[in-house]
Amino acid sequence: MRISVIIAYHGETKYIMDCFASLAEQTYRDFEVIVVCDGCEEPDVSPFPELTVRFVKQEASGSVAIMRNLGIEKAEGEYLYFLDADDYIDTNMFEQMTQAAVPDGVVYATIRHTWYSRKVHYDNGEELNRQNGTAKKDRFRGDCQNPYEFLIMRANGLQNVTILGMLIARSIVDENNLRFDEDFLYFSDAPFLLQVLAAAKTAVFCEESVYIKRKHNDPVNLPALVQVKDEEKKIFEGMRMYSQYKHVVPKDENEVYFDYKFARFLVTRISWFILKAKPGKRKEVCACLKEALGKMGDGVNERLGRYPRQLVKYGKRGRVDKIAKKARSNARKEKVRTVIHSRSRMKRYIYRKVLCKMKMIPDLIVFESFFGKNYSDSPKYIYEYLNQTYPGTYKSVWIHTGKKFDLPYKAKQVRRFSFRYFYYMARSKYFVFNGRQPRYFVKRKGSVFLETWHGTPLKKLVFDMDDVTSATPLYKEEVYKQTRAWDYLVAPNRFSADIFGHAFMYDGNMLETGYPRNDILYRDDKEKLIGEIKDELGIPQDKKVILYAPTWRDDEYYGHAKYKFSLMLELDRMRDELEDEYVVILRTHYFIADALDLSEYGGFAYNMSKYDDIARLYLISDILITDYSSVFFDFANLRRPMLFFTYDLEKYRGVLRGFYMDVEEELPGPMLFDTEQVIDAIHHIGDIQKEYAHKYNKFYDKYCAWEDGHASEKVVNAVFRGE
Ligand code: C2G
């Protein structure tokens, strides 16, 4: 029994390899693959010699309906199976489906959704589901054996009613001359599905067969059809599709499901569209809607709540004005309900609607470093430079997370997300942040946002990441919106400037100045400062300092921005071997929630994770041990030795992130994998420095070339002095 797999391909090169792999590994082998290319290059199938693929070229870019119809023309199998180029299927799907197949019938499967590539989805399924809300099971809880109910009701929205994951006897299509309706760009699945169901002799549910639908985490560059922002066309198509194909659904209890889906489409999409539409457009909607609702049965009423019932009633009477009025008052009620039930929503509401309408304060600057956790990093040095050089010219506000900072110059301090925070976020002209601002930040006309960012990127960032496992799957879209608000972005070196351009899709002002946070590393009075900092921290002046500053791991967390850290360096052994000459400072990343108790190593190991400014720790450190943290790009400015404790290199590089550089080639120090190697390296640190001198020089030239101790000045001149 031969299956024809029809894939509509629209140039989704990034995804189709997973799709092919899932076909190549099918346990059932009697199938052909037809890829219809939509005005794009054929994908490379060479990595899958076991697949016989026929390509059909469609010259101009068309629609999924046109492509699938072309596929049907070419198909030679007794069964048709539609698969999307961005999706993949379980390896035993065809085997299970063919066992369940009946002549002149269809078999339908389970659909699951994922944001991830095949590798991540299968390897880490459970974990990732928990963090990012991937639907593990269909949410549908109704009768799976009733194909109408199952196939219509499980979809989230009318546009998601789909033909995917269904094995269809070719005879059904031929005898009834069925084709996808090419008049529809977004809604061609439902008509085809309904016609197939009406003509099929039997429809069998095969629960174990799983079709995995991949959601796109980059709707900016590669939106799925449901993510395309083309609301007007979608609204009209949805109404037309329902009007045209409602009659295909049998006039029995199954009618209710399709009617229900359309009523929800009215509530969630059409009514909003009407609300915002101009009078002429409203009239057009009115006519189409009236026609569509004229086909709606009465059976659906008891399934609908009061509000949808009212909208249906008004729509049937052609009263779009009433739909708009009702939708507006309903939206207001909803807003009030959510706002009064949540203090944070209330504050955000007042921020947007009231505070952002107040006059902007032209000499006010809001500073934030690491989401208010520290008084540190480039915002700190810009603030200090401004106050030293232009005393009294600017007013400063520092954001903190609960504990006020000890600031050297006059400044207001506001707790993050407090009412005062929103007040200053709304009224300030300038913003100096080293991370992303909140999603709801309003970029007011005339305001100036200076983003300093917080490190030369080693780990892949935003648009250069494939799977986003460490953040919400909508991270890319979110960052895209946030980076649109940045007026200036500081780059520490050419390498970063280039990466920031594509990783953030940033084309605003790039300040190619070096990092203000590194100015301190070039101070003339460094020696004096080192003595002072050692005294401040209680570190003996005569001991050398080893700073251990690792980064965080995307897959080890308690919750949002609360990451775990396990200390893999054995401090006991280090103390035994090194305590005569050295002390160790442990500095965990600001995302790490674990507070490590090092009291038993008193006098040898110090936990400085809560210390504000890591740059001051660099200054007093003779050796840096790190892993994949950007700290080494900064520390290199001191030209002191570095060791890389990369005990989980393969996992980190391969599964979690991916790097921008070839670490084996470029790191200016050895990669070490256990405590013994670390101790040995410290004993032979002089030899290591000699061995790595050449690499270190190259590294310094590439990543530290722009640093000269004057970055704050250059940034301030560009942003605040208009130079
Ligand atoms: N940091 C620190 N202590 C650590 C690790 C990092 O104080 N143990 C600070 C350093 O200033 C470092 C910055 O936090 O440069 C960023 O830390 P990374 O470990 O590089 O990780 P991440 O926050 O993911 O930023 O482009 C840079 C990347 O975005 C990395």
Side-chain angles (χ1 to χ4, degrees), residues 699-712:
F699 185 89
Y700 184 90
D701 290 345
K702 182 166 174 187
Y703 299 104
C704 307
W706 292 356
E707 307 281 12
D708 59 2
H710 295 283
S712 306

Side-chain angles (χ1 to χ4, degrees), residues 138-149:
D138 280 326
R139 264 169 309 171
F140 179 71
R141 292 277 175 273
D143 180 3
C144 305
Q145 306 308 327
N146 173 355
Y148 281 97
E149 180 177 2

Side-chain angles (χ1 to χ4, degrees), residues 327-362:
R328 184 172 296 115
S329 76
N330 192 62
R332 279 204 187 121
K333 263 191 239 154
E334 280 296 312
K335 187 95 225 165
V336 171
R337 203 173 302 148
T338 49
V339 164
I340 58 173
H341 279 107
S342 149
R343 266 178 79 86
S344 57
R345 287 212 182 99
M346 168 98 80
K347 283 188 224 165
R348 282 187 306 219
Y349 185 78
I350 295 171
Y351 162 72
R352 265 200 326 272
K353 299 282 182 193
V354 183
L355 303 174
C356 281
K357 306 251 159 44
M358 291 169 79
K359 217 169 138 220
M360 195 183 277
I361 305 175

Side-chain angles (χ1 to χ4, degrees), residues 412-453:
K412 291 209 157 43
Q413 299 206 41
V414 296
R415 195 192 173 109
R416 202 161 183 247
F417 305 142
S418 64
F419 189 79
R420 287 176 71 229
Y421 161 90
F422 283 105
Y423 176 81
Y424 289 111
M425 288 293 281
R427 296 205 60 192
S428 180
K429 171 165 175 171
Y430 295 101
F431 299 86
V432 181
F433 278 42
N434 78 341
R436 292 185 289 135
Q437 73 278 19
R439 273 197 303 267
Y440 48 79
F441 174 75
V442 177
K443 174 82 171 85
R444 292 183 67 177
K445 202 159 162 249
S447 66
V448 178
F449 199 101
L450 165 59
E451 172 62 45
T452 67
W453 202 240

Side-chain angles (χ1 to χ4, degrees), residues 370 377 453-457 459 461 500 517 549-552 587-591 614 618 628-631 634 657:
F370 296 119
D377 213 72
W453 202 240
H454 51 268
T456 294
K459 313 175 255 182
L461 288 172
F500 290 161
R517 69 180 185 186
T551 194
W552 56 291
R587 162 76 175 195
T588 55
H589 187 271
Y590 54 91
F591 277 168
I614 194 172
Y618 297 151
Y628 327 103
S629 175
S630 59
V631 296
D634 303 283
R657 279 293 179 107

Side-chain angles (χ1 to χ4, degrees), residues 572-583:
D572 292 304
R573 293 186 64 188
M574 289 185 69
R575 181 171 54 188
D576 291 349
E577 299 262 354
L578 304 167
E579 74 176 337
D580 290 345
E581 202 180 343
Y582 292 98
V583 295

